[in-house]
Amino acid sequence: MGGWFALKAFPVFQCQDTCNVSFRRKPGFPGSLTDLHRFRKTVHGHDGSSRIVMVRKTDQRTFASIEKGQEPKLETITRETIETFRGQRTECKITTEKKGCEEKFPPDLIESLNDKVARTPKRTLSNKKKRNPIMDFQTECLTAHNEYRKRHGVPPLKLDKEICKVAQNWANHLISRNVLQHSNNKDYGENLFCMTSSNPNFSVSGREAVEAWYNEIQCHQFGTEPTGLASGHFTQVVWKESVKLGVAFAKSGGRVVVVANYDPPGNYIGCFSKNVPPVGGFSGNNNHHDDYTDSLSKLSLANGTTKSSHKDPKNGTEGNFEEDFLKAHNEYRKRHGVPPLKLDRKLCKYSEEWAKHLAAKNILEHRPSCNYGENIYCMYSSDPNFTITGHSPVDVWYEEVQHHPFGREPNSLKSGHFTQVVWKASESLGVGVAKNSQGSIYVVANYSPAGNFVGHYVENVPPALTSTPKEQTVEKKVSFPEKSTTNDDGFTQFALEGLKVHNEYRRKHGVPELKLNKEMCRYAQEWADTCSKSGSMCHRANNPWGENIFCVYSSDLTHVPSARDAIKEWYDEVKKHSFGVESVNHGTLHFTQIVWKNCTDLGFAMAKNNKGETYVVANYSPRGNYVGQFVDNVPRPKF
């Protein structure tokens, strides 16, 4: 407390005596209020029941900031407080305040303020505000897009809030359903990205997703219309006419899904040449290039030098599909020195029936109890006018030639589509095509007599007679590390690892261990191969056994998940399970199938495709998850 002390009787305060106070003899006043309380009441001439203390405190501060370009001013604030006490307690307190301003600012004070400002670090708005992970992800994704687009000489994209909301809704849907499939949104182009890790804190950056899409550039042939969608993610990233971008991600445990939407949408057949320039952009005048291409196309049609390409958007075919389909088969069969096939109308009708069934159900599965050999192909596009040629599915099937061990019986069905295409004993071919409202085109091929009989591969699948550029290209493709080595019992190391992990979890719940079953392992391998080839994850129809399916995507094409990664993903559903309750929890059925007490046999297999997707399939016998039997078959963990 600074200032000075004065004793004075104010009219507004009542005292218990009316004596006059003489100031001629000043007693020694205390230096603080604490000392004042110790003085006798006769010191100030009152009876001690009240006393008055005045305290004056003065402080100063700058009136105007130097940073605003104004001359600094010194503001003086004077506060006076009058306080009365009764005994040692405050009875009344009044504070007054006066302000004054001095125009002349001391030079030494200006210098000290400048030094303080220079030493004080500037705080930016971004440091004060809490970081938003969603906005950071979107910004990073947009930046990566525009860096790649600049590389190809196309205009940058702009982030659109409304499109981001659309992308977020679909990302949330995919993560909640644990699936990866395109939406039915016809307004925007769409790229999807998914990655799963056993680490629940796993996350991906916006750049990782864009890099995975852009890496498909190696599959794209510039200056021509693509025959497939192997580079579809890349072409949408750099599609010249796209202007706006919406991007979002959703996460559940260690699984992350990224959805990107583009407006206007890209990947329109007939527009690739002018919308997907090579690195460095189009050389010369782009408009001239487009006009030249259009003029050349019209000239060729007018002169009759180019055969008219018939398109049927209703079933998604282009040209004479059946003839081209048969021709593609016989070209490949000739390469391997086997007789050509002939088209069978009755077989075509049979194939078309199953193609329509698949399109209506929007699933990919083989026909039960089919007496013919069968290959199935599915292609999806958000473009309602998208079509495929007769060569498209046959080319995809034949590419499995890289997995086939010529001269011996295969130990898996990784080359099953290829071997049926060139199966020497087959004579007749039937093909059917159907397209559904979701934009998926299904192609079913049937062969008579059927191929792929165990023990007959060597005589029916001869190697190619000559090395062709096509085969040389196939041989240069990325080879994926396979866990296909078998032990003396004929089981793969991947299946043995899967059995070990299953039994670890089952011991935890005190239920009997499983054993591997060869037939079930082959059955699981067939479906894993089917999911891998189709690029979709769905349960097998008419499956006599219980089934768990796992899918993971990685932009590293050589990455192969372990069996433990898949099984742990299923088992982690234990956190959501209510033990001792018979009601079915659809969010824990993978876990309950793993520890189902009555199960005795296991089939376990894995397949990987050239898109970076790995599919793991497990089959269980007897099957589990029967309503009314959960309490008896799913006990609580014992440790």
Side-chain angles (χ1 to χ4, degrees), residues 546-548 589-596 599 620 623-625:
E547 184 176 68
N548 279 349
L589 294 181
H590 294 97
F591 153 69
T592 53
Q593 178 62 85
I594 288 176
V595 301
W596 196 263
C599 290
Y620 306 83
R623 69 188 310 160
N625 293 342

Side-chain angles (χ1 to χ4, degrees), residues 357-607:
H357 169 80
L358 297 179
K361 298 287 187 179
N362 202 23
I363 57 176
L364 198 67
E365 61 185 9
H366 284 284
R367 192 168 191 159
S369 304
C370 182
N371 296 323
Y372 307 108
E374 186 176 68
N375 278 348
I376 303 178
Y377 170 90
C378 178
M379 176 63 73
Y380 165 83
S381 174
S382 57
D383 178 9
N385 298 317
F386 173 72
T387 57
I388 60 174
T389 66
H391 277 267
S392 301
V394 187
D395 290 343
V396 172
W397 295 333
Y398 185 82
E399 284 183 357
E400 293 177 3
V401 63
Q402 61 185 318
H403 300 301
H404 188 71
F406 291 100
R408 62 182 177 87
E409 296 296 309
N411 56 13
S412 70
L413 292 179
K414 292 186 180 299
S415 58
H417 294 93
F418 154 71
T419 52
Q420 179 60 86
V421 168
V422 301
W423 195 263
K424 184 177 180 180
S426 295
E427 300 174 355
S428 302
L429 172 68
V431 60
V433 186
K435 183 178 180 181
N436 60 23
S437 58
Q438 285 79 33
S440 295
I441 302 172
Y442 289 86
V443 179
V444 176
N446 288 119
Y447 306 81
S448 179
N452 291 344
F453 281 98
V454 176
H456 297 274
Y457 279 86
V458 175
E459 60 190 90
N460 280 282
V461 187
L465 299 177
T466 57
S467 179
T468 65
K470 176 76 174 180
E471 288 172 334
Q472 292 172 359
T473 302
V474 169
E475 292 175 357
K476 291 180 181 178
K477 288 191 174 182
V478 178
S479 58
F480 305 116
E482 303 289 349
K483 297 190 177 183
S484 58
T485 55
T486 59
N487 66 352
D488 296 336
D489 296 326
F491 295 115
T492 65
Q493 290 299 320
F494 190 80
L496 291 171
E497 183 187 356
L499 176 67
K500 177 184 176 183
V501 179
H502 268 87
N503 288 334
E504 285 178 5
Y505 286 126
R506 290 176 68 86
R507 283 194 295 271
K508 189 173 183 178
H509 291 260
V511 298
E513 295 186 357
L514 300 174
K515 63 179 184 294
L516 281 177
N517 182 299
K518 287 185 180 180
E519 181 186 358
M520 292 175 64
C521 283
R522 285 195 295 268
Y523 193 79
Q525 187 64 63
E526 289 177 5
W527 193 244
D529 291 337
T530 299
C531 292
S532 172
K533 293 177 178 69
S534 64
S536 63
M537 187 172 67
C538 58
H539 284 285
R540 192 168 191 162
N542 304 318
N543 193 335
W545 298 308
E547 184 176 68
N548 279 349
I549 304 180
F550 168 85
C551 174
V552 61
Y553 169 82
S554 175
S555 56
D556 178 6
L557 299 184
T558 62
H559 171 73
V560 178
S562 66
R564 186 176 295 276
D565 291 337
I567 301 168
K568 184 180 184 301
E569 184 80 12
W570 298 330
Y571 182 83
D572 281 348
E573 294 176 359
V574 64
K575 303 170 186 176
K576 306 175 185 177
H577 187 71
S578 301
F579 292 96
V581 178
E582 273 310 332
S583 61
V584 179
N585 185 344
H586 292 280
T588 65
L589 294 181
H590 294 97
F591 153 69
T592 53
Q593 178 62 85
I594 288 176
V595 301
W596 196 263
K597 185 178 179 180
N598 286 345
C599 290
T600 59
D601 289 22
L602 172 70
F604 198 74
M606 175 267 291

Side-chain angles (χ1 to χ4, degrees), residues 15 49 71 86 175 181 220 287 303 306 320 337 449 454 482 509 553 565 581 593 618:
C15 299
S49 62
E71 286 293 329
R86 182 173 295 278
I175 206 72
Q181 62 186 33
H220 188 72
N287 294 330
N303 293 337
T306 302
N320 194 324
V454 176
E482 303 289 349
H509 291 260
Y553 169 82
D565 291 337
V581 178
Q593 178 62 85

